[in-house]
């Protein structure tokens, strides 16, 4: 790829869309040359001057994540904030969360000068997504977007968890969620900062109200005077006030997080977790860039094919070659 790192970095700082898009494509690439350029680019951009809000939005397919992101995004833009949206669900290609899908669901937002929307990366395995997501967020933060919203389906099942990449996490809940609600009560609640029951309008209004009451009464900490009190809301994309309330609560929560050491601490922990969970894939990538290692790998394979060595022997050979033991 013809790429001038200096020029690209300059344009990224001006939030130039095509440069941002090209840079993210570079970050998502697994080609050796692209990886080197991406690292150069990130190094050139350096650490962001100030932290920007990273808001993770999660919830089951079709619950209304993209719709809420669009409305929240428009609200933030009205407050003179710039907004970037990232969709990271690696399986979304399977159930239609395609480029067109994401963009057409965020039509108003995608037309805003202060907004940048990046749909799911395609053709990536989970590990690749995890690595590129971290880097893309860093890029968007360096570009100076005030709010970075990250959409993903589900929580915890995939290698990359929304809680490891966002400052605040918002969990969207279907009206009458049933089993989902039980799961929320069991697991997610300690993680998510906000719960929002979607579609509190029309035929699902009453159901949303019931689910809301159910959640309000069942979340631990909410009945006591806990400082980690979870905030629970109802939303409707047809009700501007409900969106305003959520946007305001998110922003206030983040401001208070930023004003203490908590945000820094949280991000440091995330870096440590990320390193711990993903060192192996980085290691593998590093090794596969080394032609001597690749030659040795292929030799082992050939030897196995003709039955000259056993699998254990092949593995030992490779380990001894790599670590000189
Ligand atoms: N009535 C009503 N419908 C909504 C609301 N929010 C979303 N929807 C509808 O729900 C459907 C799914 O919305 P999306 O925003 O695409 O949901 P999503 O969670 O992003 O879906 P995936 O990305 O495919 O997992 C669409 O038809 C929306 O119009 C709402 O507040 N009220
Ligand atoms: Mg969506």
């Amino acid at each position: 790829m013809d790429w001038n790192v200096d020029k690209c970095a300059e344009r990224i700082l001006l939030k130039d869309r095509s440069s941002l898009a090209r840079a993210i494509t570079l970050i998502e690439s697994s080609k050796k040359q692209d990886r080197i350029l991406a690292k150069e680019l990130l190094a050139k951009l350096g650490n962001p001057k100030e932290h920007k809000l990273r808001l993770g939005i999660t919830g089951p397919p079709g619950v209304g994540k993209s719709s809420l992101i669009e409305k929240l995004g428009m609200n933030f833009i009205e407050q003179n904030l710039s907004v970037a949206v990232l969709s990271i669900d690696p399986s979304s290609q399977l159930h239609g969360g395609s480029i067109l899908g994401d963009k057409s669901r965020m039509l108003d937002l995608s037309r805003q000068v202060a907004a940048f929307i990046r749909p799911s990366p395609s053709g990536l395995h989970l590990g690749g997504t995890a690595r590129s997501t971290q880097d893309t967020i860093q890029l968007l933060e360096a570009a100076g977007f005030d709010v970075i919203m990250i959409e993903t389906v589900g929580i915890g099942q995939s290698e990359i968890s929304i809680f490891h990449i966002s400052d605040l996490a918002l969990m969207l809940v279907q009206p009458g969620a049933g089993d989902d609600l039980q799961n929320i009560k069991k697991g997610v609640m300690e993680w998510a900062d906000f719960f929002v029951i979607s579609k509190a309008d029309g035929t699902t209004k009453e159901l949303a109200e019931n689910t809301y009451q159910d959640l309000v009464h069942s979340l631990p900490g909410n009945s006591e005077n806990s400082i980690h009190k979870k905030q629970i809301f109802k939303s409707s994309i047809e009700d501007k006030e409900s969106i305003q309330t959520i946007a305001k609560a998110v922003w206030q929560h983040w401001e208070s997080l930023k004003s203490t050491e908590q945000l820094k601490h949280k991000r440091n922990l995330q870096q440590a977790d990320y390193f711990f969970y993903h060192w192996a894939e980085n290691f593998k990538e590093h090794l596969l860039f080394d032609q001597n290692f690749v030659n040795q790998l292929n030799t082992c394979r050939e030897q196995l094919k003709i039955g000259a060595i056993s699998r254990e022997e092949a593995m030992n050979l490779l380990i001894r070659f790599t670590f000189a033991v």
Side-chain angles (χ1 to χ4, degrees):
M1 196 189 285
D2 170 33
W3 195 262
N4 180 331
V5 170
D6 288 336
K7 234 181 234 163
C8 182
E10 268 170 38
R11 289 198 187 133
I12 282 170
L13 292 175
L14 297 171
K15 297 196 185 69
D16 174 66
R17 280 165 201 245
S18 67
S19 300
L20 281 165
R22 280 190 81 186
I24 297 174
T25 303
L26 199 68
I27 285 172
E28 287 168 359
S29 167
S30 52
K31 287 191 198 127
K32 184 177 177 180
Q33 197 52 31
D34 290 349
R35 300 281 299 115
I36 293 168
L37 285 172
K39 276 183 189 157
E40 261 181 51
L41 179 64
L42 288 170
K44 182 101 208 155
L45 288 166
N47 287 327
K49 284 174 204 72
E50 62 173 316
H51 290 319
K52 303 291 185 176
L53 167 58
R54 300 173 178 183
L55 175 66
I57 313 255
T58 187
V63 67
K65 299 178 291 296
S66 303
S67 310
L68 179 67
I69 287 174
E70 160 154 276
K71 298 292 178 190
L72 286 177
M74 293 300 286
N75 191 286
F76 286 131
I77 285 174
E78 278 170 25
Q79 320 291 321
N80 283 327
L81 298 168
S82 53
V83 173
V85 179
L86 201 59
S87 172
I88 60 160
D89 178 28
S91 60
S92 69
Q93 285 87 32
L94 299 178
H95 31 79
S98 62
I99 294 179
L100 259 181
D102 283 338
K103 282 213 167 166
S104 65
R105 282 169 203 177
M106 299 185 203
L107 215 52
D108 286 344
L109 194 60
S110 66
R111 289 185 184 132
Q112 300 298 314
V113 180
F116 174 78
I117 300 175
R118 178 71 176 191
S120 297
S122 56
L124 279 170
H125 56 89
L126 272 173
T129 311
R131 197 252 313 137
S132 68
T133 300
Q134 289 271 342
D135 290 349
T136 303
I137 291 173
Q138 196 188 323
L139 179 95
L140 293 170
E141 200 166 47
F145 285 100
D146 299 305
V147 180
I148 301 161
M149 284 189 274
I150 308 127
E151 171 178 349
T152 184
V153 171
I155 17 86
Q157 301 100 328
S158 60
E159 282 179 61
I160 179 91
S161 158
I162 196 78
F163 307 112
H164 286 132
I165 51 170
S166 50
D167 300 329
L168 293 173
L170 185 156
M171 168 97 189
L172 258 184
V173 182
Q174 289 276 17
D179 283 352
D180 284 353
L181 207 58
Q182 296 310 316
N183 288 333
I184 292 167
K185 288 177 193 169
K186 271 187 240 144
V188 197
M189 40 191 194
E190 50 197 280
W191 288 104
D193 303 281
F194 304 96
F195 292 92
V196 177
I197 322 295
S198 63
K199 306 177 188 177
D201 53 54
T203 50
T204 45
K205 190 171 181 175
E206 206 180 311
L207 204 53
E209 177 62 36
N210 293 343
T211 309
Y212 171 82
Q213 291 298 338
D214 192 1
L215 210 52
V216 167
H217 291 112
S218 61
L219 282 182
N222 275 26
S223 46
E224 306 141 30
N225 262 345
S226 166
I227 49 161
H228 299 297
K229 204 165 168 171
K230 307 291 179 187
Q231 297 190 60
I232 310 168
F233 300 98
K234 286 168 284 180
S235 75
S236 165
I237 50 172
E238 290 157 19
D239 175 9
K240 208 171 170 189
E241 222 178 290
S242 73
I243 307 293
Q244 255 166 13
T245 308
I246 297 166
K248 203 170 156 195
V250 167
W251 192 256
Q252 278 177 352
H253 196 326
W254 193 70
E255 293 261 87
S256 76
L257 204 62
K258 201 169 67 157
S259 66
T260 65
E261 286 288 288
Q262 280 184 73
L263 183 67
K264 226 169 108 190
H265 182 61
K266 186 168 186 168
R267 288 199 179 183
N268 286 345
L269 284 182
Q270 288 174 335
Q271 289 299 316
D273 276 351
Y274 176 78
F275 174 75
F276 186 73
Y277 290 115
H278 298 289
W279 66 268
E281 70 206 43
N282 287 316
F283 215 79
K284 185 175 164 189
E285 183 184 58
H286 189 76
L287 285 173
L288 289 174
F289 281 165
D290 178 354
Q291 197 50 48
N292 289 331
F293 176 83
V294 174
N295 291 344
Q296 184 64 28
L297 191 67
N298 286 332
T299 306
C300 288
R301 193 181 191 187
E302 293 308 317
Q303 298 274 301
L304 276 163
K305 272 190 197 165
I306 57 167
I309 51 173
S310 69
R311 211 153 33 94
E312 287 74 21
E313 282 170 328
M315 197 39 110
N316 283 334
L317 262 174
L318 203 59
I319 289 172
R320 257 182 270 135
F321 175 85
T322 312
F323 298 105
V325 285

